[in-house]
Amino acid sequence: MLMKIISSLLIIICCSLLGVHMSHRYTQRINNIRELRNVLSQLETEIVHYSTILAHAIRKSSKSVKGDWKPVFDNIVEALESRMEYSLSEVWQESLRSLKHNPNIHKAEYEIMQRFGLQLGNSDKISQEKYFQLTQEQLKIEENSAREERLKYSRMYYNLGILLGLGIAIILF
Amino acid sequence: MKQKTDGLEYYFQPVLDALPDNFRKMIMSVSKEILRELEEIRVRQGRPLMVYSRGRDYFLCPDGSVSRYPKKAYVVTDQDARCILELISDYSIYAFEEELASGYITLQGGYRVGISGKMTSGKDGIIRFQHITSFNFRIAREIRNASNKIIPYVVKGNRIFHTLILSPPQMGKTTLIRDLARQLSNGFPGFSGVKVGIVDERSEIAGCYQGIPQNDVGVRTDILDGCPKATGIIMLIRSMSPDVIITDEIGKPMDVMAIEDALNAGITIITTAHSHGLEDAQRRPILRSLLENNVFQRIMVLGNSLGTGTLEKAYDLIEGKELLDRPIR
């Protein structure tokens, strides 16, 4: 009997944790987008107002970034400073690829950043400023939709986890 | 990526860093004799890759050998041109808007890359590049003591004369005044250094990269980089109290006015002009007015009768006589 209770409790805890994990992804996505928007706004200042060389600008802006985008920016800076023959867009796409299957990053923001990488650095300040604004707007839309999704699904996954655990425990009991 | 071969160190590493990898490999395999005297690397999209050395040009083949026949040569692709543009601008075109508009970019080490291509004028009336398709990498060399031959004519005791150096293009004018700046600034036996101001409109003399001179122009030297000559001369007089102002290639009426200001302030001027000699200079209105007003005390004429950078003639305009009986190098 004791064994049964303990194992049932274990099942409930595991399933709840699974639910928490699933619902946590929605929060993570929002955090990632927010961090990204921070980096971009700093990068915009460095580029448009200070004309900082791109590698330095990215390094400076991404210094305090947290979350899943950090290694991507580190990777880009390193590749640019090694001065290999790759073009910036190749470096950018290659570094981004590591996030392709990341559950905390949706296809939408991934594609926004992919497009952004094609324009970064290769035009005058006025055009650069426009690309930054456009990207910021698109990311803002994604941030809002991520918030809505969190409202909708985060709670649901959380409850689903507990209920699933309870369900399995009841069936097995 | 640092690459060196035995004996010959690649002093033009910043230039190699600004080239795509396949170009680097080709240039590295060129014979040392050519590399040692390399003057230009010419990249033109859709046409053969060329290097200019020892007074002639060579076509570069994909295997790194040189050829006299364009057919065998490596043809520059649009991918190469794009890559070079990214590399010379450090992936940051926005940071080089002004340089691009004036037709060249200065690399680290003071090397200059001239650019040309399709231009277009924007709404604000400024002409900008739309497509950049030709690059000319100039391998400038600092030749220390290049000015030794003219110093006896420019400096007497502790007095420096107002000097005009006349020379056709590519005869080592800039190399000469760069070394002159260094020697006047640092001083040499029998001469204690003086404060030198350089107005380096096209970043050729000091080869500044982000404001820091990449060439040795002396310890007492201040540089106004990328500044128009006339404005720069006046700014230097006001702000840096130089004893000597050195500038390159005068040619505008405004330059003449600024030079006269400097003379009134008691500052020595050393400058250069494109010309084949004194008679040629006298035919050009701007130079003629300077010569007629006896602004300069010494005129040096460069040529190539004994090789690049030969001092052909030296005039003393105070006493109206020639100082040289034959060209020296």
Side-chain angles (χ1 to χ4, degrees):
Chain A
M1 190 62 188
L2 190 66
M3 275 306 284
K4 261 189 176 177
I5 291 173
I6 291 172
S7 55
S8 302
L9 274 175
L10 272 177
I11 287 170
I12 294 171
I13 290 169
C14 284
C15 288
S16 307
L17 282 178
L18 193 71
V20 169
H21 177 74
M22 290 295 281
S23 72
H24 191 63
R25 277 176 21 183
Y26 290 92
T27 315
Q28 274 301 316
R29 182 182 172 209
I30 297 173
N31 288 346
N32 276 333
I33 297 178
R34 213 184 289 142
E35 287 289 334
L36 194 55
R37 290 187 57 194
N38 268 338
V39 174
L40 290 192
S41 101
Q42 283 183 47
L43 194 57
E44 182 181 350
T45 314
E46 288 293 335
I47 285 175
V48 176
H49 297 289
Y50 301 115
S51 301
T52 315
I53 301 292
L54 194 62
H56 294 211
I58 297 179
R59 187 212 293 281
K60 241 171 143 178
S61 331
S62 65
K63 204 183 261 173
S64 57
V65 66
K66 290 186 209 73
D68 297 308
W69 285 97
K70 173 90 179 154
V72 175
F73 289 119
D74 290 348
N75 210 341
I76 292 169
V77 171
E78 199 180 309
L80 291 187
E81 285 182 344
S82 74
R83 301 193 69 95
M84 294 304 284
E85 76 266 43
Y86 310 118
S87 70
L88 173 65
S89 56
E90 280 171 332
V91 167
W92 191 272
Q93 307 306 340
E94 189 60 43
S95 307
L96 231 58
R97 204 158 291 155
S98 65
L99 294 184
K100 201 166 185 181
H101 301 294
N102 189 317
N104 299 334
I105 285 158
H106 274 208
K107 210 177 159 200
E109 56 259 28
Y110 181 81
E111 280 172 359
I112 291 170
M113 289 309 285
Q114 248 184 343
R115 280 198 297 276
F116 177 70
L118 296 177
Q119 311 289 0
L120 185 63
N122 64 7
S123 59
D124 57 16
K125 280 176 208 154
I126 299 168
S127 323
Q128 289 289 302
E129 200 171 3
K130 279 186 194 145
Y131 294 134
F132 273 104
Q133 281 165 3
L134 180 71
T135 309
Q136 285 283 14
E137 268 167 41
Q138 290 172 331
L139 285 174
K140 194 169 179 190
I141 294 171
E142 287 314 313
E143 193 182 335
N144 288 339
S145 90
R147 276 179 206 285
E148 277 168 25
E149 274 186 19
R150 181 172 67 171
L151 272 180
K152 250 195 248 169
Y153 299 116
S154 179
R155 197 82 215 153
M156 185 191 86
Y157 274 112
Y158 185 73
N159 292 336
L160 212 60
I162 298 175
L163 288 176
L164 185 72
L166 276 174
I168 296 173
I170 288 168
I171 291 166
L172 292 180
F173 207 78
Chain B
M1 190 157 71
K2 298 271 174 265
Q3 286 168 321
K4 280 168 190 173
T5 57
D6 51 313
L8 183 69
E9 190 175 313
Y10 286 95
Y11 52 88
F12 51 87
Q13 187 66 42
V15 173
L16 291 179
D17 281 343
L19 289 167
D21 209 35
N22 52 339
F23 283 43
R24 282 179 216 169
K25 288 201 183 98
M26 275 187 266
I27 289 165
M28 304 294 251
S29 15
V30 170
S31 79
K32 283 181 195 171
E33 287 69 36
I34 293 177
L35 281 187
R36 203 165 284 137
E37 289 180 49
L38 192 61
E39 282 176 46
E40 288 179 351
I41 302 168
R42 315 231 31 156
V43 183
R44 300 178 179 98
Q45 190 179 323
R47 276 161 290 167
L49 177 62
M50 293 166 83
V51 292
Y52 186 87
S53 171
R54 299 191 295 186
R56 53 179 268 196
D57 52 17
Y58 301 87
F59 295 103
L60 265 183
C61 303
D63 60 359
S65 58
V66 291
S67 158
R68 291 293 289 162
Y69 306 103
K71 264 188 187 162
K72 292 183 189 164
Y74 176 82
V75 177
V76 180
T77 64
D78 62 337
Q79 172 69 29
D80 293 330
R82 264 204 306 276
C83 185
I84 291 176
L85 186 60
E86 286 200 327
L87 287 170
I88 60 176
S89 67
D90 265 322
Y91 306 97
S92 325
I93 308 271
Y94 56 83
F96 291 91
E97 274 176 62
E98 285 87 24
E99 278 99 332
L100 284 173
S102 56
Y104 62 85
I105 281 185
T106 305
L107 301 177
Q108 215 162 354
Y111 300 100
R112 296 195 353 149
V113 187
I115 48 183
S116 68
K118 160 89 180 134
M119 304 203 74
T120 173
S121 77
K123 274 184 200 156
D124 47 8
I126 297 172
I127 298 167
R128 293 191 182 83
F129 275 101
Q130 196 177 12
H131 303 290
I132 297 175
T133 49
S134 287
F135 302 87
N136 175 17
F137 289 82
R138 297 181 61 177
I139 319 281
R141 260 182 215 86
E142 248 186 284
I143 303 178
R144 292 221 164 198
N145 302 326
S147 65
N148 282 1
K149 58 180 178 280
I150 74 159
I151 278 187
Y153 307 110
V154 176
V155 184
K156 195 174 184 183
N158 260 340
R159 182 174 175 204
I160 308 162
F161 296 107
H162 302 296
T163 306
L164 175 65
I165 296 162
L166 299 174
S167 151
Q170 299 251 302
M171 285 302 146
K173 252 191 305 18
T174 309
T175 314
L176 187 71
I177 57 168
R178 180 186 303 132
D179 189 61
L180 198 57
R182 181 182 68 87
Q183 300 223 35
L184 292 178
S185 173
N186 289 348
F188 47 85
F191 177 83
S192 49
V194 294
K195 284 175 281 181
V196 176
I198 296 179
V199 186
D200 202 359
E201 185 167 353
R202 300 190 301 159
S203 308
E204 274 185 313
I205 306 175
C208 284
Y209 177 78
Q210 298 182 351
I212 298 156
Q214 304 287 310
N215 296 318
D216 184 3
V217 287
V219 290
R220 294 181 187 85
T221 303
D222 302 300
I223 303 133
L224 273 179
D225 184 45
C227 182
K229 280 182 281 287
T231 324
I233 291 173
I234 291 165
M235 278 175 71
L236 278 179
I237 298 171
R238 285 195 196 136
S239 57
M240 304 309 286
S241 72
D243 297 306
V244 182
I245 290 183
I246 294 184
T247 169
D248 211 359
E249 291 177 21
I250 50 158
K252 290 193 204 123
M254 286 199 12
D255 303 344
V256 176
M257 280 161 62
I259 286 175
E260 281 167 359
D261 271 357
L263 294 182
N264 291 337
I267 294 165
T268 306
I269 285 279
I270 296 175
T271 186
T272 70
H274 271 304
S275 169
H276 290 272
L278 194 54
E279 298 75 30
D280 183 34
Q282 271 157 346
R283 282 196 290 274
R284 311 219 336 235
I286 305 287
L287 294 178
R288 190 172 60 209
S289 76
L290 280 172
L291 293 170
E292 279 172 358
N293 294 343
N294 284 328
V295 169
F296 292 106
Q297 297 162 328
R298 293 281 190 272
I299 308 274
M300 305 287 143
V301 182
L302 298 184
N304 62 348
S305 65
L306 301 177
T308 305
T310 308
L311 181 58
E312 303 279 356
K313 290 203 166 78
Y315 300 97
D316 176 349
L317 295 191
I318 307 170
E319 300 188 6
K321 63 175 185 189
E322 272 197 47
L323 297 168
L324 277 181
D325 45 7
R326 59 184 174 77
I328 54 167
R329 184 161 188 248

